Structures are given as C-alpha cells and as structure tokens.
C-alpha cells in the first residue's frame, strides 16, 4: 500500500522532491497557498534565469554558509545531475561565460515551470492551490484551510521571507517557534547596502555601474559589478559578501568593505603606471592610463583628501584598496534571499524535524545562505532530491 506524502509549498525544493519520490511507493500532494505555483521561481527568472552554476562540486559546496550543512545533498544531486534532469524533461541548458547555467536561448522561465509541472502531472502528483498551512492539531497533523491533513510524511517547503508579493513572506516562523521548534529571525541576504553618500557625488553618479572590480570583506573576495544607488550600493560584487557583512553588523553599526578598482593589476603595476604616465593631471592618468571609469574616479576624488589623492603612493594604495563604510541593509522584502528560519540544529541529517518525527523541512526555509548565480536554486533542488532518495530508501 502506498504511503501518503504531503508537501506544503509549491517551489523548486518541493518540485524536485515530488519529481524524485518513487511513484510506486508514494502518493504525493503539494499544497500551495497561492492560486498558482512557482511564483518566486518566475520572479527570479526576470533578472536572468540562473538555474545553477557549473563550477566543480568541491568548489560549489564552499559557496554556501555554513559550508558543511548541504554537502550530502549537493553531492547526491549536483549541478550536473540537475542539468541532466532538466534536459530529460525538455529543458536543455547551456553554460554562459560566467559559468552560470541558463535554459537554452529562447526558453522562457514560464516554459521551464510548465515543463516541471507537466512532469509532475505525468507522475500523478496532485497540486492543490489556495491551500494554506496554519498550525498543527493536537495529534500533530498539519492544519490546512482549517482542516487536519493526515499523512505518513509531511514536508515543509515554505521558503524564506523575501519578495512577499510571491507569497514568500516568512509568516510561518512564529507558528514553528510556538511549536517548540528552534528558529532564527530572518535577515536580508544578497541585498543592497546603505551608504551615507556625499550629496554632490550621488547627484552625479546615481545609477552608474562600477565594472570589473573586486570587493573584499573579512578576507573574502567577490569579483563582479556593483551599481551606485541613491541609498548605497548593490550588485553581484557585494551580494556574495552578505555573510561576512552580517557578521560585522552583529558587533558594529558599520561594516567595512574594500574595493579594488583594478584587480587585474598589482599594487606595483598601478604605482608604476601612475609614476611613468605621460599624462599631466591625476584625473587624466586615472582615466587614460588606468582606464578607470568616471564614477570610480569621482569616488576617489570625493572621499580622499587632496593630499592623499595627489600623492602617487597613497593614491595607488586606494585604487587597490578603497575603504567603503556600509551602514545598513535594504529591507527583507527587497532582498533577493534571506537567512534565518529553521535552525539547522532543529533538523536531522535528512532534514527531519527533531521535535516532530516524519515531518521535514527543505529549501530556503532552513538557515543556510548562498550567493546569487544559480547557487540558491541548486541548493533548493538538491535538498528536495536528497530527501526523496532517503524516503525512497526507507520504504
């Protein structure tokens, strides 16, 4: 006789769990509170649909914080496995120049979602929309739409607390806390950071990119691009430093990061180019000799003293290590992802809640962190596939 699995939440982790559960052993129902599933999945696709990242698994694992919690799941269902599975359901992928993996050109996010849902339909997975989890009854069964749902296994895939418009509002946190399950408050990740910009500087440079830079925080280096915004800075060169920046904010009101405007050159190379340049003014040297952008030059001119700016040695040092003070994050709802949620000590190695046997948590509702670039989606997929393999094995 088949066992019943109730999956609460209709996102990537839930989809992969349902896709890999053995249909001969389990009857699977996904309960989604929205009128449709995968809304956050589609919103993420608007900014460039990174399905995963193609780097070696050993490197991939260390992109996560903490870097050991997801190891088993990522090794069981890695980025290559994900691409193979997507291809099998009709979604071929390709690797971009950044090593990020995308659907083959011309395939839209909605088509990826439809392919996944069609695959689940073929496996006889039932999807019930406008079904909202609210609590547990006295027997430990989940309550959905004010009715108790009895299942052999219950899996929560409720997401984090970013992009509330998609239904990912984190409202479940208090319910789990009241149940005695250890949780952590949500915090913004992969988000923009506030900077107290000089008024004249931001008038000239709002919206301007800082390209081909690295930003360092607590010895961790992130390469990419950042955009100067009215409130501060955002972009992939800062997003990936979220764990390190949060650590600083835990003890200080300010977090310090350092920009390298010319990561392709050593300090000695930069100094030599400045000293040997045939151009007469410092601004011309920076623009024409070092190929610095106008926003980068303006940053140096605005925030360095005149003496520092005109001294070749100190200027070179600041080009390679320009200090920037962050004073806060954008809101949870504006962040790409969140950390917090279910404390990792509250679940077993197979994501089973220690307080409630046969009930599990997967995906972003667990307290792990990852940078943008396909890592978030890969981990969600891996937790789903890994749990499916475990349940298949024990039955």
């Amino acid at each position: 006789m088949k066992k019943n699995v109730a999956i609460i939440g209709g996102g990537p982790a839930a989809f992969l769990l349902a896709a890999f559960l053995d249909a001969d052993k389990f009857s699977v129902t996904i309960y989604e509170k929205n009128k449709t599933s995968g809304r956050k999945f589609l919103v993420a696709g608007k900014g460039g649909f990174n399905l995963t990242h193609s780097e070696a698994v050993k490197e991939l694992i260390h992109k996560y914080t903490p870097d050991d919690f997801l190891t088993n799941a990522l090794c069981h269902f890695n980025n290559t496995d994900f691409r193979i599975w997507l291809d099998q359901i009709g979604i071929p992928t390709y690797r971009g120049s950044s090593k990020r993996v995308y659907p083959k050109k011309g395939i839209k996010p909605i088509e990826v979602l439809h392919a996944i849902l069609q695959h689940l339909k073929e496996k006889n997975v039932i999807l019930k929309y406008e079904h909202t989890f609210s609590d547990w009854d006295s027997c430990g069964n989940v309550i959905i739409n004010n009715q108790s749902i009895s299942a052999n296994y219950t899996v929560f895939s409720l997401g984090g607390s970013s992009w509330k418009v998609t239904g990912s509002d984190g409202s479940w946190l208090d319910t789990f806390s009241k149940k005695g399950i250890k949780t952590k408050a949500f915090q913004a990740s992969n988000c923009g950071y506030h900077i107290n910009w000089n008024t004249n500087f931001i008038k000239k440079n709002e919206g301007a990119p800082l390209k081909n830079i690295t930003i360092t925080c607590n010895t961790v280096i992130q390469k990419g691009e950042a955009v100067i915004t009215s409130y501060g800075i955002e972009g992939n060169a800062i997003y990936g430093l979220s764990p390190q920046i949060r650590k600083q904010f835990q003890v200080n009101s300010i977090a310090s990061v350092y920009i390298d405007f010319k990561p392709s050159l050593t300090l000695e190379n930069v100094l030599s180019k400045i000293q040997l340049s045939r151009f007469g003014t410092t601004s011309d040297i920076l623009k024409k000799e070092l190929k610095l952008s106008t926003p980068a030059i303006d940053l140096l001119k605005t925030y360095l003293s005149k003496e520092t700016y005109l001294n070749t040695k100190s200027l070179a040092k600041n080009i390679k290590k320009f200090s920037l003070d962050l004073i806060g994050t954008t809101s949870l709802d504006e962040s790409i992802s969140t950390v917090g949620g279910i404390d990792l000590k509250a679940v077993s190695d197979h994501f089973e809640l220690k307080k409630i046997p046969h009930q599990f948590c997967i995906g972003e509702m667990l307290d792990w962190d990852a940078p943008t670039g396909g890592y978030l989606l890969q981990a969600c997929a891996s937790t789903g596939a890994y749990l499916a393999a475990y349940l298949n094995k024990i039955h």
Side-chain angles (χ1 to χ4, degrees):
M1 186 174 176
K2 290 185 180 182
K3 301 286 186 180
N4 294 317
V5 179
I7 305 173
I8 305 173
F15 295 155
L16 270 292
L17 169 63
F20 281 96
L21 282 171
D22 189 334
D24 292 330
K25 295 179 178 180
F26 300 102
S27 295
V28 182
T29 303
I30 297 176
Y31 297 91
E32 166 58 49
K33 71 178 181 179
N34 291 320
K35 293 181 179 180
T36 58
S37 56
R39 289 183 66 185
K40 192 171 183 180
F41 185 75
L42 295 177
V43 171
K46 289 182 179 179
F49 202 21
N50 309 145
L51 293 168
T52 184
H53 199 286
S54 64
E55 66 188 336
V57 176
K58 286 183 179 180
E59 296 172 7
L60 184 84
I61 289 167
H62 293 296
K63 291 296 193 298
Y64 296 89
T65 305
D67 65 359
D68 57 346
F69 176 72
L70 294 168
T71 298
N72 289 338
L74 291 166
C75 288
H76 169 76
F77 187 76
N78 61 36
N79 43 12
T80 300
D81 298 324
F82 195 14
R83 293 183 70 181
I84 291 171
W85 180 77
L86 286 164
D87 191 63
Q88 288 172 345
I89 65 168
I91 304 297
T93 60
Y94 75 97
R95 189 179 87 157
S97 57
S98 62
K99 295 185 179 181
R100 297 180 182 192
V101 175
Y102 302 89
K104 189 177 178 180
K105 291 180 180 179
I107 299 177
K108 298 177 181 178
I110 190 67
E111 295 175 77
V112 179
L113 178 60
H114 285 166
I116 294 171
L117 295 178
Q118 179 60 33
H119 177 71
L120 298 184
K121 184 179 179 180
E122 291 168 0
K123 289 198 65 175
N124 296 316
V125 174
I126 298 169
L127 281 96
K128 293 188 176 183
Y129 298 109
E130 297 182 278
H131 278 64
T132 303
F133 162 75
S134 58
D135 208 338
W136 290 264
D137 66 17
S138 58
C139 297
N141 297 313
V142 293
I143 300 173
I144 296 176
N145 286 6
N146 299 318
Q147 292 187 334
S148 295
I149 303 295
S150 178
N152 299 106
Y153 297 102
T154 299
V155 183
F156 296 96
S157 182
L158 295 169
S161 187
S162 60
W163 292 345
K164 289 181 174 59
V165 67
T166 66
S168 178
D169 57 12
S171 57
W172 53 266
L173 191 70
D174 286 344
T175 306
F176 277 73
S177 296
K178 289 174 182 175
K179 187 69 174 174
I181 297 164
K182 190 174 182 182
T183 62
K184 290 186 177 180
F186 287 112
Q187 296 182 69
S189 188
N190 292 303
C191 58
Y193 291 91
H194 291 279
I195 296 171
N196 188 19
W197 289 127
N198 172 282
T199 303
N200 290 330
F201 170 80
I202 199 61
K203 280 182 181 178
K204 289 173 61 180
N205 295 287
E206 181 182 354
L210 296 169
K211 296 185 176 183
N212 301 316
I213 62 170
T214 63
I215 302 182
T216 302
C217 184
N218 296 358
T219 72
V220 177
I221 302 171
Q222 190 73 26
K223 186 177 182 180
E225 179 177 317
V227 177
I228 297 164
T229 68
S230 59
Y231 64 80
I233 192 169
E234 62 179 43
N236 60 13
I238 194 84
Y239 291 158
L241 298 172
S242 293
Q244 291 73 35
I245 294 169
R246 278 197 307 275
K247 279 187 179 179
Q248 289 199 37
F249 278 141
Q250 287 171 4
V251 294
N252 296 306
S253 58
I254 293 174
S256 297
V257 298
Y258 300 91
I259 300 177
D260 183 345
F261 293 109
K262 294 298 295 185
S264 60
L265 300 177
T266 64
L267 174 60
E268 291 73 21
N269 292 151
V270 171
L271 182 59
S272 177
K273 281 181 174 289
I274 294 173
Q275 291 174 332
L276 300 176
S277 178
R278 60 185 176 82
F279 298 106
T281 67
T282 302
S283 292
D284 279 346
I285 292 170
L286 297 181
K287 184 177 181 179
K288 298 176 181 178
E289 195 75 62
L290 288 172
K291 311 298 183 186
L292 292 191
S293 66
T294 299
I297 296 170
D298 283 350
L299 263 176
L300 293 165
K301 289 180 73 172
T302 302
Y303 287 94
L304 300 182
S305 67
K306 185 176 181 180
E307 181 182 1
T308 300
Y309 183 74
L310 295 176
N311 181 287
T312 54
K313 288 186 178 179
S314 60
L315 177 60
K317 287 180 181 178
N318 277 281
I319 290 169
K320 292 294 293 177
K321 192 177 181 180
F322 179 80
S323 178
L324 206 56
D325 290 336
L326 313 178
I327 58 174
T329 68
T330 52
S331 69
L332 285 176
D333 200 36
E334 294 172 292
S335 63
I336 294 173
S337 62
T338 54
V339 291
I342 303 298
D343 191 294
L344 301 185
K345 293 178 181 177
V347 297
S348 72
D349 291 342
H350 299 286
F351 313 130
E352 185 173 13
L353 286 166
K354 293 176 180 177
K355 287 272 186 181
I356 316 176
H358 308 307
Q359 298 195 20
F360 303 78
C361 294
I362 56 175
E364 198 183 338
M365 67 183 295
L366 293 163
D367 181 31
W368 53 267
D369 199 6
T372 57
Y375 299 103
L376 291 159
L377 185 54
Q378 176 65 55
C380 288
S382 293
T383 58
Y386 180 67
L387 177 55
Y390 171 69
L391 294 177
N392 289 340
K393 184 179 179 180
I394 63 176
H395 285 288

